[in-house]
Amino acid sequence: MAAVSSMVLAAVAVSTAVTAYGQYQQGKAQQQAYEYNAKVNEQNAKIAQDKAAYEADKQAQRMRRLNATQRAAYAASGVNLSGTALDLMEDSTTQGEMDRLAILYGGDVQAIQSRNEAELNRFQGKQAASAGTSAAFGTLLGGASTLGMAGVKMDVWKPTSRLWG
């Protein structure tokens, strides 16, 4: 009977330890997954800014070509680059620069969103790790209680009058 009691108590202890370890590991694995997502978000932020810079450069090139085409067309037509013709070229340049700045701004906004998502993922990862540790600790406490009560019920150890009143 003592051997059976010892085996049962050992099984409870091992089961508790394995469950607690699994909970701890699950929390750590979730944290790693969130950290991976955070790194992807940071890469996306860099990509958004790089893409915006590329698109802004393309916009600037388009505007330089448009201005050159306008100058050539005005010169070929004999139009003096003053007054309305100059106003139109300046307006085209202004609109082109506004478009270029809007492209850069859009890239910055997208990058900020991605960085915010990265921070959220890191926070969630820390929470998952903490939850796993707490669950493991709770399992160990519950298992110790179960082990103690089972030991008393199986007369493996006897309560003393000081502890059990």
Side-chain angles (χ1 to χ4, degrees):
M1 178 73 166
V4 172
S5 297
S6 295
M7 287 176 32
V8 168
L9 294 176
V12 169
V14 168
S15 173
T16 298
V18 167
T19 300
Y21 182 72
Q23 290 168 325
Y24 174 78
Q25 287 299 95
Q26 182 180 8
K28 287 296 187 184
Q30 285 179 325
Q31 183 180 27
Q32 289 173 346
Y34 281 119
E35 181 59 31
Y36 173 81
N37 289 340
K39 287 179 182 178
V40 168
N41 292 134
E42 287 173 347
Q43 289 173 349
N44 288 342
K46 175 82 170 102
I47 289 168
Q49 287 186 309
D50 289 349
K51 180 181 177 206
Y54 173 77
E55 292 296 328
D57 285 346
K58 281 178 46 178
Q59 175 62 23
Q61 289 172 5
R62 281 191 295 272
M63 289 315 305
R64 284 192 296 273
R65 283 193 302 273
L66 175 64
N67 284 340
T69 302
Q70 286 175 329
R71 265 191 232 102
Y74 288 144
S77 301
V79 175
N80 187 5
L81 286 181
S82 62
T84 304
L86 186 59
D87 290 343
L88 287 172
M89 284 185 65
E90 286 176 356
D91 185 55
S92 294
T93 300
T94 300
Q95 290 301 317
E97 180 62 10
M98 288 175 63
D99 289 345
R100 188 185 77 77
L101 292 173
I103 291 167
L104 290 172
Y105 177 74
D108 286 344
V109 167
Q110 196 172 4
I112 288 168
Q113 288 172 337
S114 291
R115 286 188 189 105
N116 288 342
E117 288 175 21
E119 287 303 312
L120 178 61
N121 276 313
R122 285 198 174 89
F123 173 77
Q124 288 174 324
K126 288 177 185 174
Q127 294 302 313
S130 179
T133 300
S134 294
F137 186 68
T139 297
L140 288 173
L141 287 177
S145 173
T146 300
L147 190 63
M149 293 306 293
V152 168
K153 287 181 182 177
M154 289 188 261
D155 283 336
V156 172
W157 44 78
K158 304 227 184 250
T160 63
S161 60
R162 276 188 280 146
L163 293 176
W164 302 94

